[in-house]
Amino acid sequence: MIKRITLILLVFLSVKSLAQFGPQQIISNEFNLAWGVIPIDLNFDGDLDVLAQSNTAIVWYNNLDGQGNFTDQILVENIPGLSSLSMFDFDGDGDKDILYSITNTPEIGWMENLGMGNFSALNIVSFGPAVSGLSAGDLDTDGDLDIVAVLPAGLVWFENIDGQGTFNSFIGIDLDTSELGDAFTIFDLDNDGDVDIIASYDEFVFHTVLTWYENLDGQGNFSEKKHISTFGYCSSCFFRIYFIRHADINQDGRIDILLGVNNDDPQDPSVIYWTENLGGQGNFAQAQGIYSHPISAGFVRPSDLDSDGDIDLIHWGGFLGEDAISWFKNMDGLGNFSSQILISAEVDSPRDASAADLDNDGLIDVISASAFDDKIAWYENYTILDVKDYPLQEVILYPNPVKDILTINVNNAKRINSVKIYNTLGQLVLDKNDGFIQIDVSNMYRGLFFVSVETEIGVLTKKIIKQ
């Protein structure tokens, strides 16, 4: 399998330039059962560190020089039974806090980011019912982040009542637990200014359904589930949607859906799909397959890996899939993906992968966590950008660091055609096409960003730090 994937890589490289990744660089191979990785600037020094999770602990690795040379692991907290880890700003102070769940207890909670890699003690939100899905979003449109979870009681949310991370008891979204799946994602599906929830449920035993819940009033009151797409028609099989993510795959300004579907019948393989958002009102096209595997197709995370302005996919095998980190190139920006392209096979049971610029060269690198070799590692992106070059001094961004207003000064009165700002995951967070020389960035969270300025003679990307 690995030889075949490598051959595919060489064929692609002979046809056109695309993201090329260097050899594995080990951050740690002593983090027992490494389970998850999050690139984030924890000490506010302008480069990205790595926060990592196992099933017993949270640790972080300090990026010493902004070039991807890391310290030994620094313990954040020992948490036996840790099952999930993500980061959101729950107290509105501009830095991201830790959201976690525990299977042993079971428990949902958060830890306040105190700065410089230090976090508060555990703040328990819910104690008792087992957690099978967990995320956050502003469900009641009050400017702070609430928590969404799948519990034995159903799909529920916890309101952040003061914007400081004080949560009330859960509020039901769908309490029909007989059919509810574990996977969900949160975004404004119907373009009405509030966030909706996209989830799954198992209709009978032989097929699974991608569904959504409309936020009816922007206050967290949701509709009954609405059908998007059905997967599997087999009277003796068990289908399950095991992950759901979202991104604008075909660059039409509407958010599409990525998902993985497992089936216990080896004749009908596990498949990763994407489904196109047709009109922003809950109508989606027939799902298109991206990758299949006889046992488990693994997972993908969207990111622009080759800096061509569209969304590619990082791929990892997971527990039952391939022992490899790879990617799929969005060949035309319209959601037609390449075959699997290998990044590294030097992983044993990869459990997570993410993307961010770890060495401050403007290119998106890849980070992985693999459980059975206790390894956190990264892979440098060697892509050569196909852009016109001109002297760096001709575009000046100030102030930098910036808090509110970013000014762009282009020498020789060159016209600015567009300004795009990307986060460290390669996601577009701001897009201006009106020749602005001053941009309000006050609503952006603190951290490192990349500003791409296009003029009539070329494109230049520079880093800024948002305070």
Side-chain angles (χ1 to χ4, degrees):
M1 172 60 77
I2 298 305
K3 291 181 179 178
R4 181 182 65 82
I5 295 170
T6 305
L7 177 59
I8 291 171
L9 172 61
L10 293 174
V11 170
F12 271 109
L13 291 180
S14 67
V15 174
K16 63 184 296 185
S17 176
L18 73 164
Q20 303 174 58
F21 291 92
Q24 183 182 85
Q25 301 185 53
I26 297 174
I27 298 173
S28 174
N29 55 7
E30 298 180 347
F31 187 37
N32 187 41
L33 294 177
W35 204 274
V37 284
I38 300 174
I40 184 170
D41 184 5
L42 285 176
N43 54 0
F44 304 115
D45 61 354
D47 55 47
L48 289 173
D49 312 302
V50 173
L51 186 75
Q53 155 199 8
S54 70
N55 64 346
T56 59
I58 303 171
V59 302
W60 73 285
Y61 304 89
N62 181 17
N63 191 340
L64 284 171
D65 54 4
Q67 300 298 307
N69 295 302
F70 291 86
T71 62
D72 293 336
Q73 70 186 36
I74 303 166
L75 179 67
V76 174
E77 190 74 31
N78 286 312
I79 307 178
L82 181 66
S83 56
S84 71
L85 177 73
S86 52
M87 298 201 77
F88 301 93
D89 182 8
F90 288 116
D91 53 3
D93 63 355
D95 53 38
K96 291 188 176 182
D97 312 299
I98 289 175
L99 174 65
Y100 70 88
S101 63
I102 302 174
T103 55
N104 289 4
T105 327
E107 178 181 311
I108 296 172
W110 71 284
M111 301 167 63
E112 182 183 355
N113 190 339
L114 302 176
M116 302 307 295
N118 299 306
F119 290 84
S120 72
L122 308 183
N123 298 298
I124 298 175
V125 174
S126 174
F127 184 83
V131 184
S132 54
L134 186 64
S135 191
D138 185 5
L139 270 61
D140 51 2
T141 326
D142 63 353
D144 55 45
L145 292 177
D146 312 299
I147 294 174
V148 183
V150 177
L151 304 179
L155 180 63
V156 303
W157 69 288
F158 300 83
E159 182 185 358
N160 189 341
I161 59 177
D162 58 1
Q164 299 297 310
T166 303
F167 293 90
N168 65 2
S169 301
F170 74 73
I171 303 167
I173 298 171
D174 185 349
L175 303 182
D176 183 1
T177 59
S178 63
E179 300 177 343
L180 189 64
D182 299 337
F184 67 89
T185 191
I186 304 169
F187 67 93
D188 183 6
L189 185 149
D190 53 2
N191 295 315
D192 62 354
D194 53 44
V195 295
D196 311 295
I197 297 176
I198 295 79
S200 67
Y201 70 95
D202 302 322
E203 192 174 64
F204 308 110
V205 177
F206 47 87
H207 58 263
T208 187
V209 179
L210 182 67
T211 187
W212 71 291
Y213 301 86
E214 181 184 358
N215 195 335
L216 295 171
D217 54 5
Q219 300 299 308
N221 296 301
F222 288 86
S223 69
E224 295 184 354
K225 54 180 169 281
K226 300 182 179 184
H227 179 272
I228 294 176
S229 189
T230 299
F231 299 87
Y233 292 94
C234 173
S235 59
S236 61
C237 308
F238 178 75
F239 288 85
R240 181 178 69 94
I241 295 174
Y242 63 94
F243 80 82
I244 305 172
R245 291 194 167 94
H246 63 272
D248 183 4
I249 298 296
N250 57 353
Q251 301 186 93
D252 63 354
R254 296 188 290 265
I255 304 299
D256 310 302
I257 297 174
L258 292 156
L259 69 155
V261 180
N262 268 348
N263 177 19
D264 62 358
D265 182 357
Q267 302 302 315
D268 196 350
S270 171
V271 182
I272 295 173
Y273 297 94
W274 80 277
T275 180
E276 180 185 358
N277 188 339
L278 293 177
Q281 296 299 315
N283 299 312
F284 286 80
Q286 182 176 354
Q288 302 180 47
I290 297 171
Y291 174 72
S292 64
H293 187 275
I295 300 175
S296 175
F299 300 82
V300 293
R301 193 182 304 278
S303 183
D304 183 8
L305 293 176
D306 52 5
S307 303
D308 63 352
D310 56 40
I311 294 296
D312 310 300
L313 303 174
I314 313 165
H315 176 261
W316 64 100
F319 177 55
L320 296 174
E322 293 175 307
D323 285 335
I325 306 297
S326 57
W327 71 291
F328 298 91
K329 176 177 172 58
N330 193 336
M331 299 296 293
D332 54 6
L334 300 177
N336 294 303
F337 288 92
S338 71
S339 299
Q340 184 184 26
I341 305 169
L342 180 67
I343 295 174
S344 177
E346 296 180 275
V347 289
D348 190 353
S349 189
R351 297 304 179 90
D352 194 14
S354 192
D357 182 11
L358 293 184
D359 55 359
N360 287 302
D361 63 354
L363 301 175
I364 302 300
D365 310 303
V366 169
I367 312 107
S368 67
S370 44
F372 293 166
D373 54 7
D374 306 328
K375 190 185 293 181
I376 306 293
W378 74 285
Y379 314 86
E380 183 177 356
N381 191 333
Y382 289 157
T383 301
I384 299 174
L385 299 180
D386 183 20
V387 297
K388 297 179 182 178
D389 189 22
Y390 57 93
L392 294 179
Q393 64 267 24
E394 296 204 7
V395 175
I396 301 171
L397 308 180
Y398 64 92
N400 189 11
V402 58
K403 184 177 181 181
D404 297 312
I405 302 298
L406 178 68
T407 299
I408 303 172
N409 184 15
V410 181
N411 292 341
N412 302 326
K414 296 181 181 70
R415 173 177 170 76
I416 298 175
N417 296 329
S418 70
V419 177
K420 301 179 188 294
I421 300 181
Y422 298 87
N423 63 19
T424 54
L425 301 180
Q427 299 166 331
L428 183 67
V429 298
L430 190 147
D431 188 357
K432 295 289 186 180
N433 295 288
D434 302 324
F436 286 91
I437 62 171
Q438 289 191 321
I439 297 177
D440 185 356
V441 296
S442 59
N443 290 326
M444 290 166 44
Y445 59 81
R446 291 193 295 178
L448 179 68
F449 293 87
F450 299 93
V451 181
S452 178
V453 181
E454 180 184 352
T455 73
E456 73 272 17
I457 66 168
V459 179
L460 181 68
T461 300
K462 285 194 169 186
K463 294 178 293 184
I464 63 168
I465 296 175
K466 170 63 172 65
Q467 291 182 327

